């Protein structure tokens, strides 16, 4: 985004309007990301609140990101989700979210797509490792690049590619897709 740099600079100067704009711009996306991984609306809301509280702490201490604010906020969210999962000793399950599919499709096609999506999300939740789950969610549900995903989860790009490929292979196997050789 072209305005991220100026918005970030204004936020570093503790400009209240810039801080509100950042919250408005990113809070719902971060909430959806947290909700997909922890499946608890209250916990997801608390995580997003904690992300912005930590972001303000960093800014007030003269720290924080110099660029790529979006990745920085997702990285903070990711770490808070992982920390919460470690503390609670529970698996961070994926939320079965409603995806609105536009266009003129029949009810049967919508039902088939919904069943396929539900099956896929359950497989992501139950059958992938935590790292594979995070990579798949960040890459395909949140739309991050390989480089951004690597930065968020703190791994090398090559490791993200491996996790992504293994996760996709596992999902294909679960869904019964045959890979032609």
């Amino acid at each position: 985004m072209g305005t991220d740099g100026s918005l970030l600079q204004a936020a570093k100067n503790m400009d209240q309007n810039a801080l509100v704009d950042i919250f408005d711009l990113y809070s719902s996306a971060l909430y959806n990301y947290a909700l997909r991984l922890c499946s608890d609306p209250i916990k997801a809301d608390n995580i997003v609140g904690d992300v912005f509280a930590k972001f303000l702490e960093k800014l007030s201490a003269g720290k924080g990101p110099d660029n790529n604010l979006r990745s920085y906020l997702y990285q903070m969210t990711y770490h808070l989700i992982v920390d919460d999962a470690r503390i609670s000793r529970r698996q961070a399950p994926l939320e079965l979210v409603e995806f609105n599919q536009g266009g003129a499709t029949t009810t049967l096609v919508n039902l088939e797509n919904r069943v396929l999506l539900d099956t896929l999300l359950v497989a992501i939740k139950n059958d992938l490792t935590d790292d594979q789950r995070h990579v798949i969610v960040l890459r395909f549900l949140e739309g991050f690049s390989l480089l951004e995903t690597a930065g968020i989860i703190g791994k090398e790009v090559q490791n993200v590619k491996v996790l992504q490929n293994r996760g996709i292979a596992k999902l294909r196997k679960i869904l019964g897709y045959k890979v032609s050789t």
Side-chain angles (χ1 to χ4, degrees):
M1 290 178 199
T3 61
D4 255 10
S6 59
L7 196 57
L8 184 55
Q9 189 56 44
K12 284 185 172 195
N13 294 328
M14 300 307 282
D15 179 294
Q16 186 172 358
N17 290 331
L19 295 170
V20 168
D21 287 346
I22 289 170
F23 181 82
D24 290 343
L25 187 60
Y26 293 108
S27 62
S28 64
L30 293 174
Y31 173 80
N32 289 334
Y33 171 60
L35 185 60
R36 285 181 178 128
L37 294 170
C38 72
S39 79
D40 181 347
I42 294 170
K43 189 180 290 186
D45 191 50
N46 289 338
I47 286 171
V48 172
D50 291 345
V51 165
F52 283 102
K54 285 181 179 255
F55 177 60
L56 285 174
E57 286 175 21
K58 295 284 186 186
L59 291 178
S60 66
K63 298 179 181 177
D66 292 322
N67 54 28
N68 208 347
L69 177 60
R70 179 176 176 241
S71 288
Y72 181 83
L73 293 173
Y74 270 85
Q75 184 177 34
M76 289 177 68
T77 306
Y78 167 78
H79 287 295
L80 287 173
I81 291 168
V82 169
D83 290 346
D84 182 68
R86 284 182 185 148
I87 291 169
S88 66
R89 299 273 190 230
R90 288 180 286 202
Q91 180 181 6
L94 217 126
E95 172 68 8
L96 296 177
V97 294
E98 282 293 325
F99 286 102
N100 295 327
Q101 297 179 349
T105 56
T106 66
T107 304
L108 182 57
V109 171
N110 282 337
L111 179 60
E112 289 173 356
N113 287 341
R114 183 60 198 184
V115 168
L116 180 60
L117 178 63
D118 287 347
T119 303
L120 181 62
L121 291 174
V122 168
I124 290 170
K125 172 187 158 193
N126 294 327
D127 298 312
L128 298 182
T129 67
D130 286 340
D131 284 342
Q132 289 170 343
R133 181 180 314 111
H134 285 295
V135 167
I136 297 296
V137 168
L138 286 169
R139 291 281 290 129
F140 301 109
L141 297 178
E142 297 297 330
F144 281 99
S145 70
L146 285 168
L147 187 61
E148 291 172 318
T149 301
I152 290 169
I153 66 172
K155 296 194 182 293
E156 296 294 322
V157 171
Q158 192 60 35
N159 296 52
V160 171
K161 287 180 183 179
V162 169
L163 288 166
Q164 176 181 308
N165 290 338
R166 288 181 181 168
I168 290 171
K170 194 179 283 188
L171 292 173
R172 281 184 177 143
K173 183 178 179 184
I174 291 164
L175 296 174
Y177 284 105
K178 304 262 190 281
V179 179
S180 57
T181 54

